[in-house]
Amino acid sequence: MLTHAQIWSALDRLAARAGLSPSGLARKAGLDPTTFNKSKRVTSDGRERWPSTESVAKALAATDTAIDTFVQFIEDTARVAQAVPLLGFAEAGAGGYFDDGGFPVGKGWDEVGLPCVNDEHAYALEISGDSMKPAYRDGDVIVVSPGTPIRRGDRVVVKTKDGEVMVKELKRRTAKMIELQSLNPSHANRTLAASDVEWIARIVWASQ
């Protein structure tokens, strides 16, 4: 007998396989973005809410996934992905989503299953817009690891003390300054005083 948890887990794995969050999968399938969110899986009075056959069919079509693959997701109980918090990149500069060390905190995060990252503080950001092309496109998901050492040439997420959040490539880092190269050639490179940077974290994975 199929269980509520099995069906929703299979949808989460379907989303992860496509490099999407549950809301990203819903949007790609032409559904309301909240259709597959965790908040929609139980009603306000505590009853289990199941996804409709139509919404599952649209999700499979949108990701070009065969029904037998989805059935395999249901049957396979092995853990193949790490769930990490997910936030839209455009929201990342707002207050309340990160602590002073750049670790994800507070409410408003979604969740996405991704290849395992050896960092309990890892989180994902969903790119919006075309300002980071050709490296990252609208809808791509990047995984950020605050605990991973950063080296020259790494792609990083940087947050300034003024609240600006940006994705760049680290060119050079000293005790007094940080030089950053833009991923999009139409955007200028940046040089920041180290004292103006709140935190910097390495990007360890990206959906493409």
Side-chain angles (χ1 to χ4, degrees), residues 121-155:
H121 299 296
Y123 57 90
L125 296 173
E126 186 172 359
I127 302 300
S128 56
D130 297 327
S131 64
M132 300 174 205
K133 291 180 72 174
Y136 303 126
R137 301 161 299 179
D138 183 60
D140 282 351
V141 173
I142 59 174
V143 176
V144 184
S145 173
T148 298
I150 301 171
R151 300 162 299 183
R152 181 181 298 185
D154 285 341
R155 290 178 179 176

Side-chain angles (χ1 to χ4, degrees), residues 82 84-85 99 102-104 118-123 144-147:
Q82 173 186 355
V84 297
D99 64 15
F103 300 142
N118 190 26
D119 181 0
E120 63 177 325
H121 299 296
Y123 57 90
V144 184
S145 173

Side-chain angles (χ1 to χ4, degrees), residues 135-136 143-145 147-158 166-173 178-183 200-205:
Y136 303 126
V143 176
V144 184
S145 173
T148 298
I150 301 171
R151 300 162 299 183
R152 181 181 298 185
D154 285 341
R155 290 178 179 176
V156 294
V157 176
V158 180
M166 64 192 89
V167 172
K168 303 285 185 183
E169 182 178 304
L170 181 63
K171 287 184 64 178
R172 185 167 174 252
R173 187 181 191 183
I178 297 176
E179 293 183 19
L180 303 167
Q181 181 171 326
S182 291
L183 304 181
I200 179 170
R202 183 180 170 189
I203 297 171
V204 295
W205 185 88

